[in-house]
Amino acid sequence: MTKSPRRTWLTAAGSALAGVAGLLLPVFGTAGTAQAAPAAESGIHVSNGRIYEANGNEFVMRGVNHAHTWYPTETGAVADIAAKGANTVRVVLSSGDRWTETSTSQVSSIIGDCKANKVICVLEVHDTTGYGEDGAAATLDQAADYWVGIRSALQGQEDYVIVNIGNEPYGNSGYTAWTAATKNAVVKLRNAGIANALMVDAPNWGQDWSNTMRSNAASVFAADPRRNTIFSIHMYGVYDTAAEVQDYLNHFVANRLPIVVGEFGDHHSDGDPDENAIMATARSLRVGYLGWSWSGNGSGVEYLDMVNGFDAGSLTPWGNRFFNGADGIAATSTRATVFGGGSGGGGDTGGTAPNGYPYCVNGSSSDPDGDGWGWENQRSCVVRGSAADTGSGGNTGGTAPNGYPYCVNGSSSDPDGDGWGWENQRSCVVRGSAADR
C-alpha cells in the first residue's frame, strides 16, 4: 500500500528549514545486527546500541531543535530551552554552501552556551537538506569538509558535543547514494581527527520511507573506525500510526543500532504524525527524541513552534504538549551527569532509589563487594537494578525506571514470564526482568 508522494517545505526568515516527504508506507528490510566493538576511549560514545557518557552512564536525549543559523541574535534560546528541562539542544548551523557560514568562533561560542546551560550540544549542518531533489542543497562531502574546517572547535569537546553531519541529506531522488555518501563522510571526519560521537540523518527528507538507512545502518556503523555513529530518523507524516513508529524504532533497538528521533512534530502538511506514539515508544525503548522546533517556523507551519516569538513564557499547544504532556520533557528528561545531573534533573547523583538512597552515578564500579551498595561523594549509594535497589515499604516494591510499580511478589505475579505482573488491580514490573527498564 502506498501514499501519493508529497513534499512540504518549512521556512524561517524566508529560508527552507526542513523538507519532509511522504509517501510510501514502510516496506521493511533487514539491517543486520551491529557487532560489538570497544567503546570510544572518552566522551559520549555508543556501546551495544546504547548511548553513554564517558563515565559509563547511559544518556537518553530529550531535547529541542533550535534554528540558530536563521536567528543568530536569539542568544537566549539555549538557556530558555534548558530551563524547560531539556537535556539536549540540536542547533542548526550552516556550512556556507546555502546560507551564511557558521564560523569556528561562532561554533565555539554555541558550545560554550550549551555547556553553561548544562545541555548536550548536537550540532548539524542544514545545507544538505533534500540533496538530489533540491538543487540548492549541498552534498554530504561538502558538509564533511565544513566539519574538518572547524575541527578545532570540536576537539576536546567530546564529552559535550555530538556532530550531526548533515540534515536530511537526500530527498526522494537519488537517495540510493545515501549509504556510500554517509560512509565516506564519516571516514573523512575520522581521518581528520574528529573523535566526537557522530550522528547521521536518514534520506527521504529524513523519514526513510524507502528503508535505505534501516537496511544499511549496520554497514554504516561498521564503516566508522570508532564505532561511534548514531542514527537519526525524522518522524513526520510517514509515521502517522503507532505501528509504524514502533516497528521502525524496535528494529534498531533489536539489532543493537543506536537510534534517536532527531525531529518530529504534532502536525504536518504531509500527514499527521502520531506524536503520542513517538514519545511513548521512545520512553519505553530508552530512545532519545528531539522535537522540532523552539521557534521561528513560517510559511504555514508556524504550528511547529514550541513558543511564540522566542518567548519562553508563551508556550504554544505543541510546546505545552512536548514539555508538559505524557512522556514529555518534564516527565522523562535527565540531565547529563557530566553536568552533575541525574534522574529528575538535579543533584550530583543518578537519581534516588525507592529506598531513599541516591543511585550510584558510576554503577557497579562504585560497589567493589557486589552487594548493591556503593560509596560516592562521601555517602552510600545504590547500584540500579541490584539487590539493594528495593522499596521502603507500603504496598509496592518501589517504582521501576519505566514508571510502573515493582511487583511485591516478584515473578509469582507474572505467570507468563514476560516481566509484567498484576497486583492490586494494576500492572507491575518484575525486578530485573526484561520489562525492568
Side-chain angles (χ1 to χ4, degrees):
M1 179 179 179
T2 63
K3 297 179 181 178
S4 59
R6 300 184 295 272
R7 185 181 71 190
T8 184
W9 293 78
L10 311 184
T11 62
S15 299
L17 286 183
V20 290
L23 308 97
L24 298 176
L25 286 173
V27 180
F28 298 109
T30 301
T33 300
Q35 299 299 309
E41 304 85 44
S42 63
I44 296 169
H45 62 274
V46 170
S47 179
N48 203 33
R50 297 291 179 181
I51 301 168
Y52 294 90
E53 296 184 69
N55 66 4
N57 190 73
E58 185 175 348
F59 181 66
V60 180
M61 293 180 218
R62 290 287 182 265
V64 176
N65 284 269
H66 167 50
H68 167 84
T69 202
W70 297 287
Y71 297 101
T73 61
E74 296 293 343
T75 55
V78 170
D80 289 340
I81 292 168
K84 295 292 185 187
N87 65 20
T88 306
V89 178
R90 181 174 182 255
V91 184
V92 176
L93 309 180
S94 174
S95 59
D97 293 291
R98 188 166 183 178
W99 298 286
T100 302
E101 180 178 344
T102 311
S103 69
T104 304
S105 62
Q106 288 172 318
V107 172
S108 292
S109 178
I110 291 166
I111 294 170
D113 197 16
C114 286
K115 291 167 69 174
N117 288 287
K118 301 182 178 181
V119 291
I120 295 300
C121 249
V122 176
L123 303 176
E124 62 102 338
V125 163
H126 216 79
D127 305 58
T128 56
T129 305
Y131 178 76
E133 188 170 347
D134 182 353
T139 65
L140 276 173
D141 190 58
Q142 289 172 297
D145 286 340
Y146 168 77
W147 293 117
V148 172
I150 66 159
R151 60 189 163 186
S152 62
L154 306 173
Q155 291 168 331
Q157 304 298 327
E158 292 83 4
D159 286 353
Y160 309 97
V161 176
I162 296 169
V163 175
N164 190 173
I165 300 177
N167 183 70
E168 301 179 0
Y170 284 87
N172 292 325
S173 300
Y175 57 83
T176 57
W178 176 90
T179 303
T182 301
K183 289 178 180 179
N184 290 339
V186 167
V187 171
K188 178 175 279 193
L189 267 61
R190 295 304 189 213
N191 287 344
I194 294 173
N196 307 71
L198 304 179
M199 185 180 290
V200 295
D201 281 9
N204 308 128
W205 301 94
Q207 297 202 80
D208 201 29
W209 56 258
S210 65
N211 286 305
T212 299
M213 184 171 82
R214 173 176 166 147
S215 299
N216 294 284
S219 68
V220 171
F221 186 83
D224 180 357
R226 297 182 67 84
R227 304 297 193 272
N228 201 19
T229 296
I230 301 160
F231 298 92
S232 174
I233 182 69
H234 295 182
M235 289 188 163
Y236 292 105
V238 169
Y239 300 92
D240 55 2
T241 69
E244 290 165 328
V245 172
Q246 292 163 3
D247 196 275
Y248 196 90
L249 296 180
N250 269 305
H251 174 86
F252 278 78
V253 172
N255 284 280
R256 302 196 305 277
L257 291 161
I259 184 75
V260 300
V261 182
E263 290 184 18
F264 72 105
D266 62 342
H267 299 290
H268 211 275
S269 54
D270 73 338
D272 185 13
D274 190 340
E275 72 280 1
N276 295 326
I278 293 167
M279 297 169 82
T281 304
R283 175 192 54 77
S284 67
L285 295 177
R286 305 198 320 274
V287 164
Y289 65 65
L290 307 167
W292 187 276
S293 68
W294 181 242
S295 198
N297 292 286
S299 298
V301 292
E302 290 83 359
Y303 51 76
L304 287 170
D305 283 0
M306 295 179 179
V307 299
N308 294 300
F310 289 93
D311 180 358
S314 181
L315 285 173
T316 65
W318 166 223
N320 188 56
R321 165 69 188 92
F322 183 80
F323 288 107
N324 301 320
D327 305 309
I329 294 293
T332 67
S333 179
T334 299
R335 180 184 294 166
T337 58
V338 71
F339 302 120
S343 181
D348 57 358
T349 74
T352 303
N355 61 15
Y357 285 85
Y359 279 121
C360 302
V361 172
N362 298 312
S364 59
S365 63
S366 296
D367 174 27
D369 59 359
D371 66 353
W373 288 95
W375 184 259
E376 292 177 351
N377 301 314
Q378 305 304 307
R379 59 180 174 176
S380 294
C381 59
V382 174
V383 177
R384 191 181 296 276
S386 71
D389 188 8
T390 60
S392 56
N395 62 356
T396 75
T399 303
N402 62 16
Y404 285 84
Y406 281 121
C407 301
V408 173
N409 299 312
S411 59
S412 63
S413 296
D414 173 27
D416 59 358
D418 66 352
W420 289 95
W422 183 260
E423 293 177 352
N424 300 315
Q425 304 303 306
R426 61 179 177 175
S427 295
C428 59
V429 174
V430 177
R431 190 180 300 276
S433 71
D436 187 9
R437 59 187 186 185

